[in-house]
Amino acid sequence: MTRELFWFGVVGVSAMAVHLASVALLLVPLGLPPLLANVVGFLLAFQVSHAGHRRLTFRRGDLPAARSRGRFFIVAVGSFVVNEVLYAALLHTTDLDYRVALAIVLVTVAVLTYVAARQWAFAGPEAG
């Protein structure tokens, strides 16, 4: 499990770097509106995230890539939605500083993403 958590962090930070760099250094400077660039950046980063988690974090090269990619995409989109909803809820219902609220959300969503990826997206056929 310690190895998995290490690689989960490495892959997550790598995907975040791809997302940020593609938006800030490539897509917006080329004229794409920031919100559209963010969607494209998410899709690019997703490829890094899926490949890294499949090969390094969960070592599930034995599973068909299309199966884990589809499932992990659902997890990633769901995580983004939970992130936005939870962040909005904390901002509107507490007096927490926005940075503290975001830190709470990011840690919470990372844990949920890890569990969903491990137990479902990259799980073997017995997980259904």
Side-chain angles (χ1 to χ4, degrees), residues 16-73:
M16 180 187 67
V18 166
H19 190 148
L20 180 62
S22 64
V23 170
L25 302 176
L26 181 64
L27 299 170
V28 171
L30 288 176
L32 220 55
L35 290 176
L36 180 56
N38 190 43
V39 171
V40 175
F42 167 79
L43 294 173
L44 292 171
F46 171 78
Q47 300 307 315
V48 171
S49 186
H50 174 260
H53 290 317
R54 184 169 181 263
R55 292 185 183 124
L56 300 170
T57 306
F58 302 109
R59 294 185 180 179
R60 292 312 307 247
D62 58 319
L63 294 177
R67 177 179 174 264
S68 63
R69 185 178 299 111
R71 286 183 174 198
F72 189 61
F73 188 74

Side-chain angles (χ1 to χ4, degrees), residues 7 21 27 36 38 45 51 70 74 80 112 121 127:
W7 283 111
L27 299 170
L36 180 56
N38 190 43
I74 292 168
F80 180 75
L112 294 173

